[in-house]
């Protein structure tokens, strides 16, 4: 039996601001933006190429906005992803290499497969990482 992770709820304070960040800043596709009465709204967005979506909205979770940390995306080319985020106006940290001594700034000569990361936060402070995996064993 396969067990697939399909949706992660991301707690936010302002749905429109969060939708703009994820859609315009990160390039996530809006799957639906559904209003249920005057007080309930759910927006589902999916990262390009992902089988898992995020949901933002009202009354979805007991988490405080900004409390979700450690969400992780994977790309084949971290430097290209970093450049794309900067072009889209996302405040993203530098490309880093993780190793036995912890994190250090990446150099142009560093191989980033499995070791390269960048980090950013959404407007509410929910923390994301992007890791490079260009080949799997």
């Amino acid at each position: 039996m396969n067990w697939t992770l399909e949706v992660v709820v991301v707690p936010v304070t302002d749905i429109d601001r969060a939708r703009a960040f994820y859609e315009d800043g990160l390039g996530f596709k809006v799957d639906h933006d559904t209003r249920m009465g005057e007080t309930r709204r759910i927006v589902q967005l999916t990262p390009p190429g992902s089988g898992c979506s995020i949901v933002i909205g009202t009354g979805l979770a007991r988490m405080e906005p900004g409390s979700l940390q450690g969400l992780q995306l994977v790309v084949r080319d971290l430097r290209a992803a970093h450049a794309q985020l900067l072009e889209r106006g996302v405040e993203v940290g530098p490309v880093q290499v993780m190793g036995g001594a912890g994190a250090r700034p990446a150099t142009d000569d560093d191989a980033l497969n499995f070791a390269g990361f960048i980090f950013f936060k959404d407007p509410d402070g929910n923390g994301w990482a992007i890791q490079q995996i260009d080949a799997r064993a």
Side-chain angles (χ1 to χ4, degrees):
M1 172 183 339
N2 290 334
W3 296 36
T4 61
L5 180 63
E6 299 286 333
V7 174
V8 174
V9 176
V10 178
V12 300
T13 55
D14 183 322
I15 298 170
D16 291 321
R17 179 181 72 173
R19 176 184 166 159
F21 174 80
Y22 286 104
E23 181 179 16
D24 302 332
L26 299 182
F28 287 20
K29 177 186 171 286
V30 177
D31 300 319
H32 66 84
D33 187 336
T34 305
R35 295 180 189 271
M36 297 163 284
E38 294 191 22
T39 59
R40 297 261 312 176
R41 179 177 172 201
I42 296 173
V43 181
Q44 180 173 313
L45 304 105
T46 303
S50 180
C52 185
S53 303
I54 64 165
V55 169
I56 57 175
T58 53
L60 298 175
R62 293 184 178 174
M63 296 179 286
E64 290 295 318
S67 65
L68 189 58
Q69 303 297 313
L71 294 164
Q72 187 165 316
L73 299 166
V74 172
V75 297
R76 289 186 175 272
D77 185 338
L78 190 61
R79 289 181 177 96
H82 187 257
Q84 185 179 77
L85 291 177
L86 291 174
E87 287 173 12
R88 292 175 175 223
V90 175
E91 291 183 34
V92 60
V95 176
Q96 299 179 41
V97 174
M98 299 295 178
R104 65 169 174 77
T107 67
D108 290 341
D109 296 331
D110 283 323
L112 299 178
N113 193 38
F114 288 99
F117 288 85
I118 53 177
F119 300 93
F120 65 92
K121 294 186 179 294
D122 75 4
D124 284 291
N126 294 300
W128 289 81
I130 302 177
Q131 179 185 19
Q132 178 169 318
I133 300 179
D134 55 52
R136 294 188 189 261

